[in-house]
Amino acid sequence: QSALTQPPSASGSPGQSVTITCTGTGSDIGAYYYVSWYQHHPGKAPRLLIYEVDKRISGVPNRFSGTKSRNTASLTVSGLRADDEADYYCTSYAGDNIVLFGGGTRLTVL
Amino acid sequence: QVRLQESGPGLVKPSETLSLTCTVSIDSMTDFHWSWIRQPPGKGLQWIGLVFANGTTTYNPSLKSRVNMSVDKSKRQFYVQMRSVTPADTALYYCARDVPDFSGLSNYFDYWGQGIQVTVSS
């Protein structure tokens, strides 16, 4: 299995919306609803934002939303804030209890 | 509050075995899977593998030949060993709790440790 594909970078101005994509195959994202998204500030533990494609974990603001279409999952961050600047990773279940990570997207708030 | 804490040597010599422990502050490890994930410098996160509470394991195919994981529920700890390490194994290593779905499939990681830096160098 190969890693999921994410754009290396994304950016937006405060208040704007940004969407980060995560592309897999019919054997992972396309086959299961077990897609999750994590926010990672350097030096801190990754933080779960979204699980099962579109469910927000408790405490995550509704500015963060997830969707999936066929083999591609997406994370949208609305109303960008300075503290949203971080690395974002997607994961997907890929069968046989294997988990795939995306390569990560560095989100910059301009 | 669930807490995970990684421990182990921060420096390992090439060709030797890297051994890490994750200690979990939770009454029971039974209902979850337990994973190791790493981040090489300047790179993204890489899933290493997971151990079920019953001791069954699955590993990243790219690391499978060198990795072994185990769990000791009585100590509330789980472990990873990686053999024949090289400088490419230098990374920040995280342990994480894996919440399975109703049928036991790996689903998402809800709690993570702070990470432990491991450097492979002579």
Side-chain angles (χ1 to χ4, degrees):
Chain A
Q1 293 97 336
S2 299
L4 307 172
T5 301
Q6 296 181 235
S9 63
S11 63
S13 300
Q16 288 186 331
S17 294
V18 169
T19 296
I20 299 170
T21 58
C22 171
T23 302
T25 70
S27 298
D28 38 70
I29 292 178
Y32 302 97
Y33 273 82
Y34 301 137
V35 175
S36 53
W37 289 91
Y38 301 84
Q39 180 189 62
H40 189 202
H41 287 105
K44 299 182 71 175
R47 172 196 182 197
L48 173 67
L49 299 173
I50 300 285
Y51 67 100
E52 293 177 5
V53 175
D54 59 6
K55 296 181 173 64
R56 271 185 304 278
I57 201 72
S58 176
V60 171
N62 59 11
R63 300 187 299 106
F64 293 89
S65 60
T67 59
K68 185 184 86 154
S69 177
R70 298 186 67 175
N71 299 338
T72 298
S74 300
L75 172 73
T76 297
V77 186
S78 306
L80 271 176
R81 299 172 24 153
D83 60 355
D84 294 332
E85 187 160 293
D87 296 324
Y88 290 82
Y89 293 90
C90 60
T91 71
S92 176
Y93 182 74
D96 296 326
N97 268 306
I98 298 295
V99 176
L100 296 179
F101 271 84
T105 298
R106 173 68 55 89
L107 176 60
T108 301
V109 181
L110 302 170
Chain B
Q1 180 73 359
V2 177
R3 293 190 177 182
L4 290 83
Q5 179 68 58
E6 305 88 350
S7 59
L11 181 64
V12 182
K13 290 183 167 54
S15 80
E16 295 190 345
T17 297
L18 177 162
S19 296
L20 297 175
T21 298
C22 183
T23 302
V24 181
S25 68
I26 186 172
D27 287 342
S28 173
M29 298 179 71
T30 301
D31 295 330
F32 303 95
H33 305 334
W34 304 92
S35 270
W36 288 96
I37 295 151
R38 70 180 183 178
Q39 183 176 31
K43 296 186 178 182
L45 298 172
Q46 180 186 36
W47 180 74
I48 299 172
L50 68 85
V51 56
F52 293 69
N54 66 5
T56 305
T57 55
T58 61
Y59 305 125
N60 184 320
S62 69
L63 299 171
K64 184 177 183 178
S65 64
R66 299 194 292 126
V67 171
N68 186 63
M69 293 183 184
S70 58
V71 61
D72 186 332
K73 290 181 288 184
S74 67
K75 293 184 178 179
R76 297 175 190 170
Q77 292 179 332
F78 63 106
Y79 314 95
V80 63
Q81 291 184 317
M82 185 177 292
R83 298 176 292 278
S84 303
V85 296
T86 71
D89 295 309
T90 294
L92 187 58
Y93 285 77
Y94 294 98
C95 59
R97 189 175 82 168
D98 180 336
V99 180
D101 76 345
F102 64 95
S103 62
L105 303 184
S106 180
N107 193 348
Y108 57 89
F109 307 106
D110 62 346
Y111 289 98
W112 298 62
Q114 286 299 308
I116 183 169
Q117 176 65 43
V118 177
T119 299
V120 178
S121 174
S122 55

